[in-house]
Structures are given as C-alpha cells and as structure tokens.
Amino acid sequence: MSFQHMLDNPYWLLSSIAVAYFGIHALFLRNRGFKYPSVGALDALIPTFVHNVIYAVYARPLIERGYRKFRDSAFQLTRNNEPAIILPHALLEELAGLPATVASPQAALGRDLLGHYTGVDQIVENNLHHYVVQRKLTTRLPRLMPALESAVAAAFEEQFPNSDEWTEIRPTEIMGPISAKVAAVALVGPDFIDDPTWMDISVHYTEKVFTTMAILRLFPTWAQWVVAPLLPTSRAPQRYLSRARKLLGPRIAELIALGDASEWEPSDDSPRDVNVLAWMASSARGRNRDPDVITQALVLLALASVHTTLLRMVSVLYDVTAAGPELRDQLFDEMAAVAAGPGGWGPNAYGKLRKLDSVLRESQRMSPPVVTGMKRVFVRAHTFRDGTHVPAGASACMPVHAIENDEAYTPDPERFDGLRSFRASEEWERRAAGSRSGNGNNNEFLFDTPTLTSLSFGYGKTACPGRFFASHAIKVVLVKMFTDYEFRFLPGEGRPKGIMAHEFLFPSPEQKILVRRNKKASSFF
C-alpha cells in the first residue's frame, strides 16, 4: 500500500492515529473536570479519546441518565475534549437571560462545530443575520409564500418520481435539494435559487462541516491539528466558503455600491429584493458592510436551515407513515377545510394548520436535531441563584431532549402521538371559554413557539430567530408531499431510526421508502 493510498484512505489512517494517540495520552495526560458529579466517566487513567468516543455513540442515554439521577442539580460529562456542565431545568430562565458578555451562544456554536477547522469561526463573529432574520424575514413571510410554493412545486417535479407505481427512493437524497431550494428562496432570492453552485454549497457545506466535526471531536485538541489535514472533508468547508464569495460577492458589492450612492434600497415590490442577501447588503454597517462578511453569514444560515429542515421533513414523513392512514387523512382533511374556508388557500393558510403544527411539534420532541440546547461558553464566571457555579471558559447547556421527554411534562413520552399538542390546544380553548381571566396564550402549542418544556428552538431572547420561516417552509413541503404522493415502508420494515453522532441527530442517507403519485391528488398549489 503506497503512502499516497494511505492518505486517500482516512479510515486506515485514522485507526492508526487513534492507536498511537491512546498510548501517548494514557502515559502523559489525565482527564480534568469540575466539582459536579460525572456521568459516564471512567477511571482517570482512561484517556479523553475514549470518553469522546463514548459520548459520540451514547450521548443521548448518558444525558438522560444524568437528568434522571441529578434532576435538580448540575452534572458533567466529557465531550469534545472537555467536561461540559449540564444545568438543571430550574435554571432555564436565568440562563436565557444572561447576556452574551457573560454566556456566549456564538462562542458555543464555534466550539461545538470546531470553527477554526470548519470555517464557522469566521461566520459566528458576525451577528447581523440575527437582526435581519428577525426584523426583515419574519415580518415579510406572507410576501414570500407564493415564491416558496413555486419553488417547492418545481423541486418536487425535479426530485420525485412521476409514477403511479410504487418506487423506491432515498428520502434524504431527494429531500436535501428540496430543503436547499426552499432555504434559497429566503436567503439569496431568484438570482441564485436555481444556481447549481449555490445548491451545491447549501447541501454539501453542511455535510462536510458535520462530517469533519464528528470525526475531529473524537480526538484531543493537540491531535486535531495533525488529523485535520488528513481528512478530505476538513479542507472542503473552506473551499465552499471561497466558492460562495466568488458567486455572491459581486452581487453584494453591487448592492452596497448602489446603496452608498443612494440609488437603491430594498423594495418589497421587487422579488429580487425580498431576501436576506438584499436586506443584509442594505442594513450592514462598519466592518459588516463587506461582501465577504455578508457571504459568510449567508452560508451560516444555509448551514442552520438545510440540516434542521431536512431532518424535520424526513422525520415527519417517517412519523406520519408509521402512524398509519388515519393521521394522514386527518391532516389532509384539515388542509381541505382551510382551502374551502374564508380566504381560500393563500399565504395565511399555513398558520391555520393546527394539526400539522401538532405533528411537527411531536416529531421534533421525539427526534430533535440536537439533544442538548441553550448552549453557552461562559466568558465570565457566573454563580446562579441556586449556587451552581460555572467558571470562565466552561461550556454549559440544558438537557432539552430529556426535559421534553420527562413524564412529568409529557405523559407516555415513548409513544408518538401526532395530535398531542392539538388536543392540548383544544382543551386550553375550552377552559379559556369558561374562564373570565383570559390568562395564557394558545400559541404555546405551536411548533414555532418555545415554552418551558419545548426547547428545541431555544428559549427567551436568544430563541432561534429563523423558526418562523422554518415552520412555514416545512409546512409548504409537507402539504405538497401529503397531497400529491403516497408513502409506505419497504416490506418488513418500520419507522427508521436516525443516526446519532455526539449530540446531533441525522437521518440515514441510505434509508429507502416506497412512494407513488397519489391518483386522487388535489394539490393546493
């Protein structure tokens, strides 16, 4: 076997490095930690590499075990070469209220995704996209809905088989480009929505970042700089960022120049202007008013949106198929009722799909994109009101999946109950009708509404600003999917499981399902 062949075969190379590392680390290094009880920790002589592997494979059960055992206090486990503090649920609101100067979510994202190797560090320093998504995108969702519907209809024609016979497909393979195209409507607009370079970046930058992260996080910090250059995927994110700059940079520079000359500002009447690229070019100030900085922010948004929307689309497809025809029929009947109701099928129709909202919320509870949340790196030491102390530089988070699946909050949590939140919403309405107080908000049962026990989108002022767009975009895809197509699992198979890598969940790229055109299709767009 030639040396070049070894370099081209990362599995052989990584296994050799792992063996060498194990010996070196066991001889010279020891695990470190905080004063909190450890979950999943082995003997101090066992190298961090082993703890990293254990966490990569068993993160979810380890966190759930710690949550059950130390429900009202903090505990720690080793992940990503360091002990992470898992905070108790009682500290949620206090954690959510801490400013970034004390507990930084941006630093946590960079640390989680190994930003200095994946290019994410260059992106998270810019916070302009939060403002634009929250203040510009969310308020203009009704204007975007026709473009979203057109993009989804075209993407389904391109990706799905046009056959009345049962046909095998790989949902992840088919839904990836659809997810990317949906995101492109909001991020880059009509100039780039069909551009193959942007589609390639949207799908594969995310893939390469997560692959690189999943492998490198097995190794200690001192070994990552040796391993990273040997991974083909570790070089790819920087190449994708470079390609994005070349593709989007000229358009962004043009808009900035026109804006500086007072010859342009985004107009809601121009389809080319109703997108994040245009809003950022108009809103950016100071060092952010740079085509490279804006491009990097757009790539980060693509990273966030494509993975989460793809996982949710595929998961709901599996969940509804596994639940049987009754649930699917109820979803379709709701869509038909909305279409036949006042205003017909229009931009506001998606907000009326309460049963579909409930299915989305239940699906995310059972198969979230990540099992921990509210992640922070503490820039300064902080002592919470209950005495829990987090030193400067430490990582901390909430066990959001364990909280959402706690029987105290979710009865029979192991069972998928698609209409769980819908029934809770109806019960709330009945109680509100008989009460004079009017306390509460029925929106708390919606997919895009974070609550004290529904935390996949975060909580408080740092909750994901793109959750409203994500909710609408996913609904457009699901409406098309469940009205125009029928699905069933391969003979002898049931609801597929996802792939857990560290705290992240991914749909299996090899999983197959059967699909055919619905002979009685009655698509609403």
Side-chain angles (χ1 to χ4, degrees):
M1 181 182 291
S2 68
F3 180 71
Q4 183 60 46
H5 185 70
M6 294 177 189
L7 289 179
D8 293 337
N9 189 338
Y11 302 104
W12 183 93
L13 193 59
L14 289 174
S15 63
S16 300
I17 293 173
V19 171
Y21 159 66
F22 186 95
I24 294 171
H25 194 83
L27 285 174
F28 298 108
L29 297 174
R30 298 290 183 269
N31 293 310
R32 58 189 176 86
F34 304 113
K35 65 178 183 178
Y36 299 107
S38 294
V39 174
L42 302 176
D43 188 273
L45 292 176
I46 300 299
T48 304
F49 172 79
V50 176
H51 288 91
N52 286 344
V53 172
I54 291 172
Y55 181 82
V57 178
Y58 300 108
R60 179 156 58 184
L62 284 174
I63 293 168
E64 289 174 352
R65 184 199 309 171
Y67 175 77
R68 290 193 299 269
K69 187 174 181 179
F70 307 105
R71 182 186 178 92
D72 299 319
S73 60
F75 62 94
Q76 65 177 324
L77 43 78
T78 300
R79 64 176 252 324
N80 195 17
N81 305 308
E82 63 173 7
I85 300 173
I86 312 299
L87 297 170
H89 188 200
L91 298 182
L92 171 64
E93 293 191 88
E94 187 174 354
L95 177 65
L98 293 178
T101 52
V102 175
S104 171
Q106 292 83 11
L109 177 62
R111 184 177 290 186
D112 267 1
L113 298 184
L114 300 182
H116 46 298
Y117 294 112
T118 59
V120 173
D121 268 1
Q122 305 169 35
I123 300 171
V124 297
E125 295 174 0
N126 172 22
N127 212 30
L128 174 63
H129 52 281
H130 281 271
Y131 165 80
V132 169
V133 169
Q134 190 171 45
R135 301 294 180 87
K136 302 289 187 178
L137 175 59
T138 299
T139 58
R140 289 167 174 78
L141 281 178
R143 290 183 175 273
L144 276 175
M145 297 313 296
L148 276 174
E149 291 178 339
S150 296
V152 167
F156 268 75
E157 290 299 319
E158 294 169 4
Q159 299 296 329
F160 270 75
N162 184 19
S163 174
D164 294 336
E165 302 298 323
W166 289 110
T167 307
E168 283 189 7
I169 62 168
R170 289 185 173 90
T172 302
E173 182 180 287
I174 282 182
M175 300 301 290
I178 294 176
S179 178
K181 180 159 284 193
V182 166
V185 172
L187 296 182
V188 294
D191 289 342
F192 302 102
I193 186 173
D194 292 315
D195 189 286
T197 299
W198 179 253
M199 288 296 103
D200 185 45
I201 293 168
S202 296
V203 174
H204 295 111
Y205 174 77
T206 302
E207 175 187 305
K208 303 305 182 187
V209 165
F210 279 108
T211 301
T212 301
M213 174 275 298
I215 295 173
L216 287 182
R217 276 178 55 168
L218 299 175
F219 294 87
T221 304
W222 66 265
Q224 287 172 355
W225 70 272
V226 177
V227 177
L230 305 175
L231 290 176
T233 58
S234 73
R235 298 184 290 273
Q238 295 292 350
R239 290 199 298 268
Y240 281 118
L241 283 172
S242 177
R243 291 174 64 196
R245 294 185 196 105
K246 290 178 182 178
L247 176 68
L248 304 181
R251 174 60 177 164
I252 297 170
E254 176 190 11
L255 293 179
I256 289 175
L258 289 172
D260 289 344
S262 300
E263 296 177 5
W264 169 82
E265 62 180 23
S267 168
D268 287 349
D269 296 324
S270 170
R272 296 186 73 194
D273 291 350
V274 187
N275 55 76
V276 174
L277 183 154
W279 294 322
M280 292 184 75
S282 172
S283 303
R285 298 291 182 268
R287 60 179 296 275
N288 289 336
R289 200 168 179 78
D290 181 311
D292 285 354
V293 172
I294 293 174
T295 297
Q296 289 164 184
L298 288 166
V299 173
L300 174 64
L301 290 172
L303 167 73
S305 61
V306 171
H307 167 60
T308 54
T309 56
L310 173 61
L311 173 63
R312 194 53 39 226
M313 294 168 188
V314 173
S315 295
V316 170
L317 168 60
Y318 292 158
D319 290 330
V320 172
T321 302
E326 182 180 353
L327 178 59
R328 176 185 167 135
D329 290 347
Q330 290 185 69
L331 294 177
F332 180 82
D333 290 345
E334 179 183 57
M335 297 170 195
V338 169
W345 192 268
N348 296 322
Y350 297 94
K352 301 174 184 177
L353 300 177
R354 292 301 179 110
K355 290 182 179 178
L356 185 58
D357 243 306
S358 179
V359 167
L360 281 164
R361 189 180 178 98
E362 182 77 349
S363 178
Q364 183 144 285
R365 178 186 68 81
M366 298 197 73
S367 54
V370 60
V371 297
T372 57
M374 304 292 294
K375 297 179 179 180
R376 302 289 189 270
V377 168
F378 277 70
V379 181
R380 302 204 311 258
H382 179 76
T383 301
F384 288 88
R385 65 176 184 272
D386 70 343
T388 300
H389 180 76
V390 180
S395 295
C397 62
M398 283 279 166
V400 298
H401 181 62
I403 292 169
E404 292 181 342
N405 289 274
D406 188 331
E407 287 190 355
Y409 310 127
T410 306
D412 196 10
E414 297 299 319
R415 182 173 65 91
F416 176 83
D417 180 356
L419 300 185
R420 187 190 300 267
S421 292
F422 176 75
R423 291 195 305 273
S425 175
E426 286 194 316
E427 177 62 24
W428 183 94
E429 289 179 353
R430 283 194 293 269
R431 291 180 178 179
S435 171
R436 296 182 179 180
S437 64
N439 291 332
N441 187 341
N442 200 25
N443 288 339
E444 71 179 74
F445 302 104
L446 298 180
F447 171 60
D448 56 24
T449 302
T451 68
L452 291 171
T453 57
S454 182
L455 300 165
S456 290
F457 283 122
Y459 186 78
K461 62 183 180 182
T462 58
C464 173
R467 65 190 186 275
F468 302 105
F469 170 75
S471 176
H472 281 69
I474 294 169
K475 286 178 183 177
V476 175
V477 173
L478 295 179
V479 167
K480 188 70 173 177
M481 186 186 298
F482 291 135
T483 55
D484 283 16
Y485 299 89
E486 296 178 284
F487 300 89
R488 72 182 185 191
F489 298 126
L490 270 61
E493 294 188 4
R495 202 262 191 229
K497 293 183 179 180
I499 299 171
M500 285 297 305
H502 305 274
E503 66 268 34
F504 300 96
L505 177 66
F506 303 92
S508 171
E510 300 302 320
Q511 182 64 48
K512 295 179 181 179
I513 196 171
L514 296 172
V515 62
R516 69 179 180 186
R517 277 273 191 179
N518 186 348
K519 296 177 182 179
K520 300 178 181 180
S522 56
S523 180
F524 303 113
F525 60 87

